[in-house]
Each structure stands twice: as C-alpha cells, then as structure tokens.
Amino acid sequence: MLVAALFSGTFLAAGANAAGNPDPHHGESNGTRSGLNRVDLTAWAKAQLKADKARHDRARAKTTTAAVTSASTTASALASAVSRQAELISPAEVGPAAEPTTLVLYDTAGPYGHLGELYAMATANLAGHFGTVTTRPVSQYTAGLIESYTATIYIGSTYYCCDVPDAVPAAFYQDALTTTKPVTWMGANIWNMAGAVGVTQFSQKYGWDPTTSYYEDGGSIGTVTQVTYKGQTLTRKIPAGQDGGVLRPNVLTGAGYPQVTRLAEGLDSSNGHTFGWAIRSSNLTYIGEIPFAYVSESDRVIVFEDLLFDALAPATAERHRAVVRLEDISPNSEPAELRAIADYLYAQQIPYGINVIPVYTDPNGTYNNGVPETVKLTDRPQLVNALKYMLARGAVLMNHGYTHQYGTVANPYNGVSGDDFEFYRAHVDSANSVIYDGPVAEDSAAWAQGRVDSALAEFAAAGLPRPTLWTTPHYAGSATDYQVFSSNFSARLERSLYFAGTLSGVSSDPNRFIGQFFPYVVRDVYGTKVIPENIGNYEPEAYNNHPPRLPADLIASAKANLAVRDGFASFFYHPYFPVQPLQETVEGIKALGYTFVSPASL
C-alpha cells in the first residue's frame, strides 16, 4: 500500500521566526502537505483501488486461484528483467554483528515503482535506531537471505495484479512462510504470497486469508480516520481521492486456525466498523497500509514505530524522554528574553538546546524602514553574554545555518534571516501554501561547506564554543547538503528530507523526496545520527493553511507518543514568546511521565 513519509500539515509548514522581527513568519516546520514531493498520490490511489476491485471481482467469479497462479508464473519470467533494472544498487554485505540487523525489501516495478525507494528510506531510517540496515529491491531477493538478518520488512507499494505482473520472487514468499525470524509486511501483495505458498498452508499457519481480504468494507472503500493502539487514539487524515485504503484482514475462526492478535484497531468512520489495522500471528506482523503519507505528530505511524521494538529489541524497557530547544536565536534577538527563558528552565533543572543563527541579515530592509541591515554575533556583545549565561545554566549550543536566508530574494517570504530558507528554494503559491522548488542554484558540497565554515568562524570570533549539533534552516537541504552537515557535526536535531536515488545511486528528479521525523534517535540513510523533533512547536497564530498550535496540542501529541515504549516528546520554542506557554508545555509533558534530557546526551 501506499503512502509516504512522515510529514504532515502541522509538520510541514514553512516559515520560521526571525528573532526580533516585528511580524515574523512562524514555525521551523516544512515539507509538503502529504510528505511526498512530486508524487501523484491521487493517481496512485485510483490505481490501487482499481486493482483491488479487479481482484475482488475475480474472486466473485471464482477465478482467484487461476489469477494468482498466472501472476506467480509471470513474476518468474520478469524477475530477471527487474533485477537487471536494479543492478546499480549495491546493498551492504551482511557480516557478523552484535546489534540487530534489518533487511528492508521494496518494490521498484510498475508505474509507481518510484514510491518504493522513498518508503524504503523512511523504513530504513526507523530501523536505524536499532542497528545496521540493508535495503534492496525485493526483485533482488535470493533464497535464504532472510536468515541472515534479525528481522525483515517488506513494503508492498506496488499492487501486483491485473496489468502489473508480480515482481516478488517466489523464494521470498516461501522463505517468509518457513522462517522463524520476524517478518513485517506493510501494504500490498500479501494475497500473492498466500496464493504462491498455498492458501491452506498460509491460513493454517497465520489464521487469516489474504486472498479474501480487501480494502473495501461493505462494498465501498470506507473512511478510516483513526487507529487505536496501546490505549492511545491516533489520527489518520488523508484527503479524499488520495486514500488508497487499508486492507481489512479476513480472520478465520474455528478448529485448526491459530489465534490472530489485533495489535491496533482501525476505525471506519463511514460505518463505525473496527478491524485489525495491524495484526500478528506466528512470525508475521501485517499492517494494512504503508503509514508514511499525511503524517502528523499524533499519527498512526506511531504504531509501526513501536512495533519495530518487537522485531528488533523486544527486551527494551519502558522509558519516555523529552527534549526542548530554543529556536531562531540570532544577533538580533533580545538578551532579556533569552535570560528570562534561561532562568525558568534552570529553575526547573531542564537542560535544553539553543539554535543560533550567527549572522542576521535583512538585505532589503524589510524590518528596518527599507535600509539593509546585517548584524554579526561580534556586533552584539550583550547577546553573546546572554548566550554564555545560558550555556552556564544547562544550554547546549547548536548551529542553525549561517544566515537562515538566501541572498536578496524572497525564499519564500522576504529574504530575512529566520524567515526564509537557506539551502533550498521555495515560494508561496496562490493558495497560500509553501511549494518546494529544488536546491539553490549554487548547491554543491563546496558551497554548503563554505556556509558551514563561515558560521563556525562567527561562533569562534564571538568567543563561543564550536557547536557539535546542527539544525538545517526550515529543515530543508539537498542530499549533498546533508552529507556536508554530517561531516561537520556529530548529529542533526531536526526533521529531514530524503531524496530519490539515495539508495539506488541512480540519478532521479532532484526534487522528489520523502520527509520524515522520528520518535527516537536514528542513524539515517545519509549515515548521520538524527535526534528527534516529533511534536512540533508553540504557534498561537494560523499561517500557510496551518492552524495554531497551542500547549494543549503539544501535550496531546506527547501523550500519543507514549505508545512508543522508548520514545521522545521533542519540541522547540521561540524565545520571543512569553515564558508562560513554555511553562504550560513543559509542565504538561512532565505530568505525562517524561524526563527532560540534554540533546548533547543523545
């Protein structure tokens, strides 16, 4: 099934806050509304549901068995061709390791084959919390490979049916059935496995029949709006026309069938029916969709994030930590505001990060009566003293770009530090949404390194320590930029973009990406440690089609994330806001049982 990436409407707004600006834009969050850039989810969903209807119609005509057999036969004929298409991919060799290892298999065939790599990156990033990860197209699977890993995850993003022949090797279907290793299956094609290994064999081992399981309920697709898991009600908000549906497992009862555990409950709001959104029997965990599109801070993807512990670290103890960082501090910030926030956090014994933009510039005089203005840290000794005051009271210095804007152009707002993107181009369209346009014209490793070098030189000139943590302005850079950041800093604290071609090494659309945020620390596909920011930020006003986000909203998201057994509630706060909303947020998160920790400790 279907969708991609962990961005949401709330996560994905663009526009940050230039400290000291009288009318700043709001939020560090950015990305696309769906979490996928340059991906036509409407066409994908239409094709998905058309294929599922065709499969159902064939079942009604009692030709399901013949159809599955035909698909499997065709798959054998096409497997070598699909493998040739993916020969440029060089998956990591499997070697001895004490930590868990994960094999992530993904689709590359069919008109929407490009989705597979995007979903595989999102999955691999999460699995990177636990240990090493190998990714490869499922068409490259060879017999016995599953036994070389702690766990295997297959992402069924291409619906193999009808005019799209099955590209999954028969060896994978057979190995998934016979292994005792954990297998997690998301989305499509589980019915093809049952057909390939035998419906009787499948149902006797797993207790349900995928060949009579469909995305519809009572003759229509329905509307799945929430998922309940471990006592938490999680959201599922997908616009009409872009929802490819969730498979409703046909669980079998009676003698000879093993018990099927419903791990998470889906709710179809069109009829009030509930069903197993995620189920488990024997070694197989099945999730009826790929939960990576239209993701919010309280979204159903939390289920998958926690279920990975069952497969990769089942002995993990319950633990809930929180992280807070102060955002968009620049030479134009008010020292008194910083000290007030610092005093509150110090009194509460809460460590925190401070994201500092070392050079503030307003090249067009947007906030300075038309007069261009540039201010460096060395120009503001009182501000530097305030930063040192914070560092002495639990703060950790973090680098937040060089100028947090791009040249003299609106990118997308006004060219002012904190308001605009630095490493990526964007504009606001006629519907008041931020649209991503691609890397800046100068983008290269040398250009990005020059920005980093200039930023670090400003910190040194001001007598401040060298930051070891980085946050990309507006969470947006190219794949090249992320590699540069990785080579200069021990970790990034942010949400990130992951670009097509990263796994395959094949040139692709440079602006096709999946966006993601995490509930725990991960080692991502860029090879970088990423510290989570997963519940957003306080923002009392609506902007760019995104509603206000108040302390109660952040606390509610923190509560939803309690479902992750060793997860975080990580947020940011702009220090030009009063202390009171921060206090409400901190107290609410602590009341849920979270313990605040320093980002430097992660």
Side-chain angles (χ1 to χ4, degrees):
M1 201 7 314
L2 83 160
V3 277
L6 309 182
F7 278 32
S8 73
T10 28
F11 167 29
L12 288 128
N17 314 357
N21 292 349
D23 185 25
H25 295 285
H26 303 291
E28 197 58 50
S29 308
N30 55 60
T32 67
R33 186 162 175 253
S34 67
L36 292 171
N37 205 48
R38 297 193 182 179
V39 173
D40 187 353
L41 284 178
T42 299
W44 169 84
K46 183 177 180 180
Q48 173 102 345
L49 299 179
K50 179 181 178 182
D52 200 59
K53 183 179 184 302
R55 183 170 67 90
H56 199 176
D57 290 344
R58 291 184 183 188
R60 290 193 182 104
K62 298 182 179 180
T63 58
T64 303
T65 302
V68 171
T69 302
S70 173
S72 299
T73 303
T74 308
S76 298
L78 293 181
S80 60
V82 176
S83 296
R84 284 195 299 273
Q85 182 184 6
E87 279 178 355
L88 294 176
I89 299 175
S90 301
E93 294 298 322
V94 180
E99 62 184 7
T101 57
T102 306
L103 174 64
V104 175
L105 301 171
Y106 60 98
D107 294 322
T108 55
Y112 301 99
H114 56 278
L115 291 176
E117 184 184 20
L118 299 177
Y119 300 143
M121 288 189 289
T123 303
N125 288 337
L126 291 169
H129 171 70
F130 301 91
T132 59
V133 183
T134 297
T135 60
R136 66 170 66 187
V138 69
S139 60
Q140 290 189 337
Y141 183 86
T142 55
L145 188 60
I146 206 170
E147 299 301 329
S148 300
Y149 296 87
T150 305
T152 296
I153 303 169
Y154 168 61
I155 309 158
S157 59
T158 295
Y159 197 121
Y160 296 124
C161 174
C162 316
D163 57 348
V164 183
D166 193 348
V168 179
F172 175 64
Y173 290 144
Q174 189 63 39
D175 287 353
L177 179 76
T178 58
T179 187
T180 58
K181 299 289 187 72
V183 174
T184 300
W185 192 300
M186 291 190 287
N189 307 319
I190 190 71
W191 47 84
N192 287 342
M193 175 182 167
V197 304
V199 176
T200 300
Q201 291 89 333
F202 186 100
S203 60
Q204 286 180 345
K205 179 171 183 178
Y206 296 119
W208 64 289
D209 182 2
T211 67
T212 54
S213 302
Y214 305 98
Y215 293 122
E216 67 177 32
D217 180 15
S220 65
I221 184 61
T223 305
V224 181
T225 55
Q226 70 178 44
V227 176
T228 304
Y229 177 68
K230 292 173 64 171
Q232 302 298 332
T233 299
L234 308 173
T235 59
R236 184 180 186 272
K237 299 179 180 179
I238 301 177
Q242 297 189 34
D243 188 353
V246 184
L247 193 76
R248 320 298 173 95
N250 179 20
V251 176
L252 305 174
T253 59
Y257 296 118
Q259 181 178 354
V260 176
T261 301
R262 288 166 66 153
L263 302 169
E265 296 284 320
L267 171 66
D268 188 335
S269 61
S270 68
N271 55 26
H273 293 175
T274 61
F275 63 95
W277 184 88
I279 61 174
R280 178 179 296 147
S281 53
S282 187
N283 66 308
L284 177 66
T285 299
Y286 177 75
I287 300 172
E289 65 170 318
I290 302 170
F292 291 145
Y294 290 100
V295 172
S296 73
E297 290 83 355
S298 304
D299 190 77
R300 85 280 195 201
V301 73
I302 289 171
V303 180
F304 176 60
E305 294 165 347
D306 183 66
L307 289 178
L308 286 176
F309 285 94
D310 292 343
L312 295 165
T316 301
E318 193 85 9
R319 177 174 56 165
H320 303 288
R321 290 172 286 176
V323 173
V324 57
R325 76 174 193 263
L326 302 182
E327 189 72 356
D328 289 334
I329 300 170
S330 82
N332 209 37
S333 296
E334 291 294 333
E337 294 174 345
L338 299 180
R339 287 175 179 265
I341 296 282
D343 288 342
Y344 164 70
L345 293 173
Y346 181 67
Q348 297 297 311
Q349 297 184 319
I350 293 176
Y352 58 100
I354 50 174
N355 252 352
V356 178
I357 308 163
V359 174
Y360 169 86
T361 185
D362 180 356
N364 304 310
T366 300
Y367 298 119
N368 195 40
N369 298 317
V371 179
E373 180 183 28
T374 295
V375 186
K376 300 181 178 181
L377 287 172
T378 50
D379 298 326
R380 295 288 190 267
Q382 290 185 335
L383 185 280
V384 172
N385 287 337
L387 296 178
K388 292 178 178 178
Y389 180 86
M390 301 170 89
L391 294 176
R393 288 162 176 78
V396 173
L397 185 63
M398 301 168 56
N399 193 166
H400 194 27
Y402 175 40
T403 62
H404 202 316
Q405 54 82 240
Y406 176 69
T408 60
V409 299
N411 191 36
Y413 300 113
N414 50 31
V416 180
S417 291
D419 283 0
D420 278 13
F421 290 69
E422 181 171 352
F423 293 89
Y424 218 79
R425 293 305 309 272
H427 72 276
V428 178
D429 68 7
S430 59
N432 194 30
S433 294
V434 175
I435 304 301
Y436 281 58
D437 299 319
V440 300
E442 305 92 329
D443 190 57
S444 68
W447 178 82
Q449 185 62 55
R451 306 292 291 184
V452 171
D453 289 343
S454 296
L456 295 176
E458 293 297 333
F459 286 114
L464 292 167
R466 178 189 172 110
T468 60
L469 301 178
W470 168 273
T471 299
T472 308
H474 283 335
Y475 295 153
S478 70
T480 298
D481 299 334
Y482 285 120
Q483 296 291 352
V484 169
F485 307 149
S486 300
S487 67
N488 285 273
F489 300 91
S490 62
R492 305 193 318 270
L493 196 171
E494 62 184 23
R495 307 179 179 196
S496 304
L497 310 181
Y498 295 95
F499 292 86
T502 298
L503 299 184
S504 66
V506 177
S507 296
S508 184
D509 184 336
N511 201 29
R512 178 179 288 161
F513 61 74
I514 186 170
Q516 191 169 20
F517 57 88
F518 308 109
Y520 32 61
V521 178
V522 306
R523 179 73 61 177
D524 72 4
V525 294
Y526 298 137
T528 310
K529 179 191 291 186
V530 183
I531 298 170
E533 185 278 280
N534 63 326
I535 66 170
N537 64 293
Y538 170 73
E539 176 47 62
E541 298 178 4
Y543 68 101
N544 292 130
N545 298 312
H546 302 296
R549 193 155 174 82
L550 304 177
D553 299 308
L554 274 69
I555 295 164
S557 293
K559 183 176 182 296
N561 277 274
L562 288 173
V564 181
R565 68 198 70 178
D566 187 14
F568 284 78
S570 179
F571 71 102
F572 63 91
Y573 193 83
H574 290 95
Y576 52 74
F577 287 127
V579 176
Q580 182 61 32
L582 175 62
Q583 181 178 347
E584 293 176 19
T585 306
V586 166
E587 290 180 354
I589 290 173
K590 288 173 68 174
L592 292 171
Y594 285 92
T595 300
F596 279 87
V597 297
S598 170
S601 69
L602 305 173

